[in-house]
């Protein structure tokens, strides 16, 4: 390990527990698995938290937030996919913003401290509605950061400007 930078491992694979030993993670890293990919999500979440790193759980757009309620006390982050995983350049699934609100309400209801992250089509146009819904972590990719029409530095400045408008 040559870096002190925190890493965020987001694993979208069937039965991710078979891959746990494949990654060199530190206690301060995040290791996120998808609800849809686990036979026993709670067991996997507990294992990651006890033995590996901070733990996250991700939901694809079609997966209900009710699938999380029984394990929210165990997680450090919830990632709500705002596009269907696997293909870059997709448009935001707008119904996911309601899911972000629901997860924020559950977090407040139970007084929990996990992060709420959004991943997929996060860009200057969508950031305002994502943050207002409850997202406190934004995953930037091809639609918001890695653009052919501007540098990464310009993209970061644009994102910062949009976040500053929210305050």
């Amino acid at each position: 390990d040559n870096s002190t930078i925190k890493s965020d491992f987001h694993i979208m694979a069937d039965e991710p527990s078979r891959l746990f030993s494949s990654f060199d993670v530190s206690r301060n890293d995040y290791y996120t698995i998808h609800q849809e990919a686990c036979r026993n999500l709670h067991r996997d979440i507990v294992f990651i938290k006890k033995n590996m790193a901070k733990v996250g759980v991700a939901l694809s757009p079609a997966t209900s937030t009710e699938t999380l309620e029984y394990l929210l006390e165990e997680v450090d982050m919830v990632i709500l996919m705002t596009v269907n995983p696997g293909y870059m350049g997709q448009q935001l699934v707008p119904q996911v913003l309601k899911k972000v609100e629901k997860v924020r309400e559950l977090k407040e209801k139970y007084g929990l401290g996990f992060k709420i992250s959004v991943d997929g089509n996060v860009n200057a146009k969508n950031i305002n509605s994502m943050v207002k819904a409850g997202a406190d972590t934004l995953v930037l990719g091809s639609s918001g950061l890695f653009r052919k029409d501007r540098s990464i530095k310009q993209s970061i400045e644009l994102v910062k400007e949009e976040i500053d408008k929210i305050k």
Side-chain angles (χ1 to χ4, degrees):
D1 189 14
N2 297 326
S3 174
T4 58
I5 297 173
K6 292 180 187 176
S7 295
D8 186 349
F9 297 84
H10 182 154
I11 310 301
M12 179 61 174
D14 285 333
E15 286 306 315
S17 60
R18 64 188 169 81
L19 302 174
F20 288 169
S21 63
S22 302
F23 296 92
D24 184 19
V25 299
S26 76
R27 297 300 289 163
N28 290 323
D29 292 337
Y30 283 90
Y31 194 97
T32 299
I33 57 178
H34 276 254
Q35 185 277 344
E36 305 86 3
C38 298
R39 276 193 208 118
N40 191 327
L41 180 63
H42 186 263
R43 178 196 64 211
D44 291 347
I45 294 287
V46 170
F47 179 87
I48 293 166
K49 189 165 190 150
K50 180 178 179 186
N51 300 297
M52 296 175 63
K54 294 180 181 176
V55 66
V57 63
L59 294 185
S60 293
T63 305
S64 169
T65 58
E66 282 76 26
T67 63
L68 292 181
E69 199 162 354
Y70 78 101
L71 56 77
L72 285 175
E73 293 172 340
E74 303 287 348
V75 301
D76 299 297
M77 180 167 43
V78 172
I79 298 179
L80 297 163
M81 299 299 299
T82 52
V83 299
N84 290 299
Y87 306 97
M88 60 187 238
Q90 296 179 64
Q91 295 301 307
L92 171 78
V93 177
Q95 295 83 353
V96 175
L97 295 176
K98 291 177 186 169
K99 288 174 65 174
V100 175
E101 289 175 3
K102 282 184 179 181
V103 171
R104 186 196 73 228
E105 289 166 4
L106 288 169
K107 178 180 175 178
E108 292 169 356
K109 175 181 174 181
Y110 296 117
L112 300 172
F114 59 83
K115 294 180 179 293
I116 300 173
S117 177
V118 288
D119 184 352
N121 200 246
V122 178
N123 58 47
K125 179 180 148 190
N126 296 328
I127 285 173
N128 186 293
S129 57
M130 292 172 166
V131 171
K132 284 185 176 178
D136 53 36
T137 304
L138 307 168
V139 178
L140 295 164
S142 62
S143 64
L145 184 62
F146 304 109
R147 302 278 305 244
K148 291 181 181 178
D149 59 338
R150 63 180 171 253
S151 70
I152 291 175
K153 185 177 180 180
Q154 290 170 321
S155 292
I156 290 170
E157 289 305 315
L158 184 59
V159 167
K160 285 180 179 179
E161 288 172 18
E162 289 304 311
I163 291 170
D164 287 342
K165 288 179 187 176
I166 297 168
K167 294 179 182 177

